[in-house]
Amino acid sequence: MSSALASFRPAEHENPVQWLRRVFRTFRRTRPYYGGLLAMIAGVPIMYFPYAKLSLGGMTVAMATTAGAGSLIIGVLLIVLGLTAWFQPTVRVFAGVATTLLTLVSIPVSNLAGFGLALLPGLIGGGLMASWAPLPEPKAAEAAVAASVATEAPAPEALASEIPASEAAVAETAVVAGSVATEPAAAEAPTAKLPAQAASNEQAVAVDPKEAR
């Protein structure tokens, strides 16, 4: 059994830290956690750089572009898709595909996807969200194993029908063995008749001189 299917510790033996860890572990294992996290991380640089202002000495550098509104929309959508994958795992495939497409669109629209900082997190997060699948429940897994074993095992009726057939096979082998045992006796019978025939021949020879006289 994997650690994801292991039973948690009872609540009466938990302190607040252990309870928090257990709740977070359950939350993380029942949804595409890392995919949504990477999607939200990818949305931050896409939103930030078009509106950022850097001060170099006494000079202020603004990187705002005419596509600032598009960058803002893409960044907000990526964060929303990440949260959607967290709290609505059933739409994870749609969220993953949309995250991948928005990340690719942000390359020409938003300063090369936030100067490349959002490219890898967005693509990897979209792939993780689209490919994530929930773990089977322990009861469902046990029921599936029991059903497979029941289908593979022979039915009692089949076993009952096989027993007379096996008895008939044993009886047939016994008959064959008896016939083989009787064959040597039949072979010995002609050898037993040979002395009697020889004796009768001698008597016939002994009787012939008297008849001649």
Side-chain angles (χ1 to χ4, degrees), residues 70-175:
S71 300
L72 179 63
I73 293 173
I74 292 174
V76 171
L77 286 177
L78 287 176
I79 294 175
V80 170
L81 289 171
L83 293 174
T84 302
W86 276 8
F87 297 102
Q88 294 293 335
T90 55
V91 296
R92 61 188 180 274
V93 177
F94 168 77
V97 174
T99 300
T100 304
L101 293 177
L102 289 174
T103 304
L104 295 175
V105 170
S106 67
I107 295 175
V109 173
S110 178
N111 297 321
L112 298 177
F115 297 105
L117 296 178
L119 184 59
L120 288 180
L123 295 178
I124 295 174
L128 290 177
M129 284 190 288
S131 62
W132 182 86
L135 290 172
E137 297 182 0
K139 295 182 179 179
E142 293 175 0
V145 172
S148 63
V149 171
T151 54
E152 293 177 359
E157 298 178 356
L159 293 176
S161 62
E162 289 179 359
I163 292 174
S166 61
E167 293 179 354
V170 172
E172 185 178 354
T173 54
V175 170

